Amino acid sequence: MDSKEAGTYWEGNAEAWTKLSRAGYDTYRDRLNTPAFFATLPSVAGLTGLDVGCGEGHNTRLLAKRGARVRAIDVSETFVQHALEAEQRNPLGIEYTVADACDLPFENGRFDFATAFMSLMDIPEPERAIAEVHRVLVPGGFLQFSICHPCFDTAHRVNLRNEEGMTYAIEVGNYFENTDGRIMEWLFSAAPAEAKEGLTPFRVPRFTRTLGQWLSMLLDVGFAIERIAEPRPSDKEVRRCPNMQDAQVVAYFLHVRVRKPSD
């Protein structure tokens, strides 16, 4: 599967994804992943940044509210249209472009920093996207991204629950198998049946790589690794949102910050 074909799946997901996420049903994003990401993000006030794989723009807007001048790209025209409409309703100075992360339409050294919220693992050739981000960053600029944790988002994965429905383990296997476009169908687990009524399940192509492969991609293009984090929800958050209890058992997400060395 190439980037163009993968993009057709995300175009097909865009309407339902935007509707459900804006209704508050992307709980792992809103209550765990995004807060943890911003807790470790360096100050971006006054900097020019690129958000890669912006979707409908939720996290892009949070970046802009931190004082950054933000450009954002996504392969899906529908996602970008929803992001543009949000910008029109509440202008934050964000510029959105439909573009392929593997072929960024920007000159060398254009940005002080880049972010990629849960997008790089959805790209068939993440090494090309990482190289492109490295190219468009200024010397000394950084990339911070989040992905599904490679050690637990494997080709074989089963959520093991006890009689009370509580997760006690995640069974993983085929860790070394590089999945290249296997389609998974699902909708946000927090969404009730009435919210899902009439919606087509997301069809998400999976591209799994090992942890070693991800780190090597970063090092091979010249990035220096600066920070690694694995967010875990607190007991308080799990009481507020019980469906996130499984994220206390294993790390569902991996956050990485790397920096382009200064000349």
Side-chain angles (χ1 to χ4, degrees):
M1 185 180 293
D2 59 17
S3 293
K4 183 176 180 180
E5 184 180 356
T8 64
Y9 284 99
W10 285 103
E11 176 65 14
N13 294 333
E15 283 293 349
W17 195 290
T18 300
K19 179 178 180 179
L20 291 176
S21 66
R22 289 185 174 179
Y25 298 123
D26 191 352
T27 53
Y28 288 90
R29 180 193 73 180
D30 295 340
R31 297 183 180 275
L32 174 61
N33 211 8
T34 293
F37 190 100
F38 278 100
T40 61
L41 186 74
S43 174
V44 295
L47 301 182
T48 299
L50 172 65
D51 190 21
V52 178
C54 63
E56 49 81 32
H58 175 84
N59 289 322
T60 316
R61 294 190 291 276
L62 295 178
L63 278 174
K65 289 177 180 179
R66 290 199 166 203
R69 299 181 296 272
V70 186
R71 294 290 301 269
I73 67 109
D74 199 276
V75 71
S76 164
E77 292 184 9
T78 298
F79 268 141
V80 169
Q81 184 58 41
H82 282 298
L84 286 169
E85 291 169 358
E87 173 67 15
Q88 291 166 359
R89 290 191 297 269
N90 180 22
L92 294 170
I94 303 168
E95 297 181 50
Y96 293 98
T97 304
V98 178
D100 185 344
C102 296
D103 187 20
L104 294 174
F106 307 109
E107 67 273 19
N108 295 352
R110 173 70 174 81
F111 299 99
D112 300 310
F113 75 94
T115 54
F117 297 86
M118 299 300 290
S119 60
L120 293 181
M121 76 284 181
D122 294 325
I123 298 172
E125 298 176 282
E127 65 279 3
R128 287 183 58 196
I130 288 169
E132 276 290 270
V133 171
H134 185 275
R135 178 183 66 79
V136 302
L137 284 175
V138 300
F142 72 87
L143 161 66
Q144 184 165 310
F145 66 91
S146 55
I147 56 174
C148 292
H149 202 299
C151 297
F152 303 105
D153 184 40
T154 54
H156 170 82
R157 184 178 69 178
V158 180
N159 192 325
L160 303 178
R161 301 180 186 273
N162 61 22
E163 294 178 354
E164 289 74 40
M166 303 284 284
T167 296
Y168 63 88
I170 301 293
E171 178 182 289
V172 299
N174 297 336
Y175 170 69
F176 295 102
E177 177 184 330
N178 284 171
T179 303
D180 284 303
R182 182 182 301 166
I183 305 302
M184 306 295 290
E185 296 191 5
W186 52 280
L187 288 170
F188 294 127
S189 60
E194 58 269 23
K196 300 177 184 179
E197 187 175 355
L199 298 180
T200 301
F202 308 140
R203 301 191 71 213
V204 177
R206 296 183 65 198
F207 304 97
T208 58
R209 300 292 184 268
T210 66
L211 178 60
Q213 286 174 312
W214 277 106
L215 297 179
S216 293
M217 288 181 217
L218 298 165
L219 296 172
D220 286 348
V221 300
F223 276 122
I225 296 172
E226 193 166 277
R227 186 179 180 90
I228 295 176
E230 299 164 298
R232 178 182 186 273
S234 66
D235 291 342
K236 180 180 179 180
E237 280 299 331
V238 170
R239 285 194 294 271
R240 292 175 59 189
C241 191
N243 73 300
M244 291 201 308
Q245 178 266 330
D246 50 0
Q248 290 188 315
V249 178
V250 300
Y252 274 0
F253 308 110
L254 180 69
H255 293 185
V256 180
R257 185 168 71 243
V258 293
R259 195 169 294 271
K260 182 176 180 177
S262 301
D263 289 342

